[in-house]
C-alpha cells in the first residue's frame, strides 16, 4: 500500500475555513451557492473534475417540525376537552409526520405545504476515473441556525460536576425524543383515556414548537467547525491525490448543501446519483465537524432508530488511521442526524468521522462561537491524514 502523506498544510486548512466562514451560508441560499462555487473552483485547482449541481430544498426543519408540533398540541387540547378521537388521530399523524421529517424520510409535510428553493451541491471526481470501485467522501458547506437548545452550558455543567458519567456515556443526547414523544403521548393517552399522558404530550409539543420558533428566528452561525472543517479536508485530500495518484479506486468529493435542514442536499444527491453507484462497489465516508480536539469514528447514528455502520468498513477506517499514525477513538454513537444516514439507509457501507471535546460535545455546535479562530486545525489535519489513508487502503484492497 502507498504511504500516507505525512505533511498536511495547516495554513491551507485555515485559509479554506476562514474564507468560507465569512460567507453567510444558510441552507438553500445564495451564500450557500457562493460557497459551493468557490469550493468547486478550488477542487478544480487541485486537478479534480468539479461542478455544482442545483437541486430543490425547503431549507429548514424548524417550520415543518414546529407546525406539526402545534397540530399535535391542538389535538391534545381537544382531547382533554372530550374529543379523544381527534387526539388519537391528530397525535398519531403528527408523530408519523415528525418521524418522516427528522429521520431523512420523504419530507411529506414540506413537499405538501411549504415552499422550496434552489440548493447547491459540489460534486468533484479524482483518483482513478476508470476504476470499478468508488469511495464517496462527504461533507457539507451550509451553516446552521443557532437556538437556545444548543446552549453549551448544560453539558459543560454536567461534565464539570459529573465527569465519570460523561466518561461512561457513549451515546449522544437524544434531542429529538421529546419532539417525537409529544405527539405520540397525545395519541396513546387519548387511546387509553389517560389524561396525564395527554397533558404531558401537549406540554412537550408546545415546548417543541417554541424551540423550533426560537431556532427559526436566530441568526445563522459561521459554521467553521460544522462543517467547513470537513470541506477543508476534502480540498487537502484532493491535493494529496494530485501529488500521488492512486489506481483502482475512483474518489468522489461531495459537499452537500442543505444538510442543516435535515439532509435535503444528500437526499437529492441520492435521487440523482445512487443508481450510478453499485452497492457492492461503493463506500461512503462522511466527515462532519472534525475541528474539535479529539477525533472519533462513530459506530452508528439514529435520531429515533439506531443504525450501526458497516463493521468491515469501520475496521478498515481504524486500520487506515493506524497507517496514518493518527490516534482515532471509537465507541460513540450519535443521536443527531448527519448525511451518513442517507447512504446507510440505501444499503451502502458507510462510516463517519467526527470530533469531540473532553465533555463529548461537538465544539461550539450550532453556536455563534463556531468561528474559524475556534477550530482545532491539528484535528482537522489528522482527519485529512485518515481520509487519505482510507483512500489508499481501499485502492490497495483486492477486487
Amino acid at each position: 500500500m502507498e504511504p500516507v502523506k505525512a505533511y498536511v498544510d495547516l495554513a491551507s486548512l485555515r485559509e479554506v475555513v476562514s474564507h468560507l466562514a465569512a460567507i453567510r451560508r444558510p441552507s438553500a441560499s445564495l451564500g450557500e451557492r457562493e460557497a459551493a462555487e468557490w469550493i468547486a473552483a478550488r477542487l478544480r485547482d487541485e486537478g479534480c473534475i468539479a461542478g455544482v449541481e442545483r437541486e430543490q430544498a425547503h431549507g429548514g426543519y424548524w417550520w415543518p417540525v414546529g407546525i406539526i408540533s402545534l397540530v399535535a398540541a391542538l389535538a391534545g387540547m381537544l382531547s382533554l376537552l372530550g374529543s379523544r378521537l381527534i387526539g388519537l388521530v391528530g397525535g398519531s399523524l403528527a408523530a408519523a409526520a415528525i418521524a418522516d421529517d427528522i429521520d431523512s424520510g420523504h419530507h411529506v409535510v414540506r413537499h405538501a405545504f411549504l415552499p422550496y428553493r434552489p440548493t447547491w451541491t459540489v460534486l468533484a471526481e479524482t483518483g482513478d476515473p476508470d476504476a470499478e470501485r468508488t469511495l464517496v467522501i462527504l461533507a457539507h458547506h451550509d451553516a446552521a441556525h443557532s437556538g437556545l437548545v444548543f446552549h453549551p452550558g448544560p453539558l459543560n455543567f454536567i461534565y464539570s460536576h459529573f465527569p465519570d458519567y460523561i466518561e461512561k456515556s457513549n451515546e449522544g443526547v437524544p434531542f429529538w425524543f421529546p419532539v417525537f414523544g409529544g405527539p405520540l403521548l397525545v395519541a396513546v393517552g387519548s387511546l387509553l383515556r389517560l389524561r396525564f399522558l395527554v397533558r404531558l404530550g401537549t406540554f412537550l409539543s408546545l415546548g417543541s414548537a417554541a424551540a423550533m420558533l426560537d431556532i427559526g428566528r436566530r441568526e445563522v452561525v459561521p459554521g467553521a467547525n460544522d462543517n467547513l472543517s470537513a470541506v477543508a479536508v476534502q480540498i487537502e485530500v484532493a491535493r494529496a491525490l494530485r501529488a500521488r495518484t492512486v489506481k483502482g479506486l475512483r474518489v468522489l468529493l461531495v459537499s452537500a448543501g442543505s444538510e442543516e435542514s435535515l439532509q435535503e442536499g444528500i437526499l437529492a444527491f441520492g435521487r440523482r446519483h445512487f443508481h450510478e453507484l453499485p452497492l457492492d462497489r461503493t463506500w461512503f465516508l462522511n466527515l462532519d465537524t472534525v475541528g474539535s480536539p479529539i477525533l472519533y469514528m462513530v459506530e452508528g447514528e439514529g435520531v429515533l432508530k439506531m443504525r450501526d455502520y458497516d463493521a468491515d468498513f469501520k475496521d478498515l477506517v481504524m486500520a487506515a488511521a493506524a497507517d496514518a499514525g493518527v490516534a482515532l477513538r471509537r465507541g460513540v454513537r450519535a443521536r443527531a442526524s448527519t448525511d451518513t444516514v442517507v447512504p446507510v439507509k440505501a444499503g451502502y457501507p458507510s462510516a463517519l468521522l467526527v470530533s469531540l471535546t473532553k465533555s463529548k460535545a461537538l465544539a461550539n455546535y450550532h453556536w455563534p462561537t463556531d468561528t474559524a479562530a475556534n477550530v482545532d486545525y491539528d484535528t482537522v489535519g489528522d482527519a485529512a491524514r485518515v481520509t487519505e489513508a482510507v483512500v489508499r487502503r481501499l485502492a490497495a484492497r483486492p477486487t
Side-chain angles (χ1 to χ4, degrees):
M1 193 183 73
E2 296 181 66
V4 178
K5 179 181 179 182
Y7 171 74
V8 170
D9 190 345
L10 297 185
S12 176
L13 299 176
R14 186 184 300 272
E15 184 267 330
V16 170
V17 173
S18 298
H19 178 89
L20 293 171
I23 303 172
R24 186 178 179 275
R25 310 175 323 281
S27 301
S29 68
L30 292 178
E32 183 195 79
R33 179 182 184 179
E34 179 184 349
E37 291 176 343
W38 188 89
I39 294 163
R42 282 295 298 265
L43 290 170
R44 285 192 291 269
D45 290 343
E46 299 303 337
C48 299
I49 300 171
V52 176
E53 297 182 342
R54 171 175 168 159
E55 301 290 354
Q56 293 293 117
H58 170 62
Y61 60 86
W62 40 91
W63 298 131
V65 174
I67 291 168
I68 298 167
S69 296
L70 280 177
V71 169
L74 178 60
M77 294 175 189
L78 292 174
S79 178
L80 291 171
L81 292 174
S83 300
R84 291 175 44 248
L85 180 61
I86 292 178
L88 173 61
V89 175
S92 299
L93 291 176
I98 286 178
D100 168 70
D101 202 273
I102 67 178
D103 197 28
S104 303
H106 298 290
H107 291 164
V108 172
V109 170
R110 304 187 194 197
H111 285 295
F113 302 108
L114 296 172
Y116 272 59
R117 55 185 185 266
T119 190
W120 313 91
T121 290
V122 179
L123 173 59
E125 181 178 344
T126 184
D128 183 352
D130 298 321
E132 294 183 351
R133 299 177 299 170
T134 302
L135 172 66
V136 183
I137 301 174
L138 294 178
H140 72 86
H141 52 271
D142 60 319
H145 282 237
S146 187
L148 189 59
V149 294
F150 304 117
H151 195 290
L155 190 57
N156 290 337
F157 175 84
I158 294 172
Y159 178 69
S160 63
H161 290 78
F162 308 99
D164 291 342
Y165 171 79
I166 295 294
E167 183 64 30
K168 294 176 183 177
S169 175
N170 286 317
E171 191 167 297
V173 177
F175 171 81
W176 291 107
F177 277 18
V179 180
F180 171 73
L184 187 63
L185 289 175
V186 168
V188 172
S190 299
L191 176 65
L192 301 180
R193 300 174 182 266
L194 297 174
R195 292 175 63 85
F196 78 94
L197 286 184
V198 178
R199 290 193 188 97
L200 178 58
T202 302
F203 174 77
L204 289 175
S205 295
L206 286 172
S208 298
M212 294 302 120
L213 176 62
D214 175 58
I215 293 170
R217 295 176 66 245
R218 298 270 182 155
E219 183 51 75
V220 175
V221 304
N225 189 17
D226 180 15
N227 191 29
L228 299 180
S229 58
V231 172
V233 169
Q234 288 184 323
I235 293 172
E236 182 65 21
V237 170
R239 178 182 294 116
L241 297 181
R242 184 186 189 189
R244 293 196 310 282
T245 59
V246 295
K247 292 293 184 183
L249 185 71
R250 182 175 66 139
V251 178
L252 298 183
L253 303 170
V254 177
S255 183
S258 294
E259 191 272 352
E260 298 293 358
S261 58
L262 300 183
Q263 291 73 59
E264 286 184 297
I266 190 64
L267 283 166
F269 174 86
R271 290 191 293 270
R272 184 188 288 250
H273 292 290
F274 277 0
H275 72 279
E276 305 166 349
L277 301 169
L279 291 173
D280 61 340
R281 287 174 281 159
T282 307
W283 296 262
F284 281 78
L285 177 63
N286 188 20
L287 307 162
D288 201 320
T289 317
V290 292
S292 310
I294 307 168
L295 192 63
Y296 278 84
M297 182 192 67
V298 180
E299 301 291 345
E301 72 174 292
V303 294
L304 298 175
K305 175 186 176 181
M306 183 60 65
R307 299 178 179 90
D308 276 2
Y309 306 136
D310 182 79
D312 178 65
F313 190 40
K314 287 189 294 188
D315 288 344
L316 184 143
V317 172
M318 292 303 298
D323 296 338
V326 173
L328 180 62
R329 300 191 189 185
R330 66 184 302 178
V332 299
R333 287 176 168 80
R335 280 295 179 184
S337 59
T338 73
D339 279 347
T340 327
V341 73
V342 175
V344 166
K345 289 174 71 173
Y348 292 99
S350 305
L352 170 64
L353 295 184
V354 302
S355 61
L356 303 174
T357 64
K358 289 182 179 180
S359 62
K360 293 186 178 177
L362 300 164
N364 306 297
Y365 180 64
H366 291 194
W367 205 243
T369 53
D370 189 10
T371 63
N374 289 331
V375 170
D376 189 320
Y377 292 96
D378 288 331
T379 310
V380 181
D382 283 344
R385 293 184 182 94
V386 173
T387 303
E388 182 194 347
V390 170
V391 172
R392 300 194 184 280
R393 182 166 275 270
L394 265 178
R397 173 184 277 191
T399 56

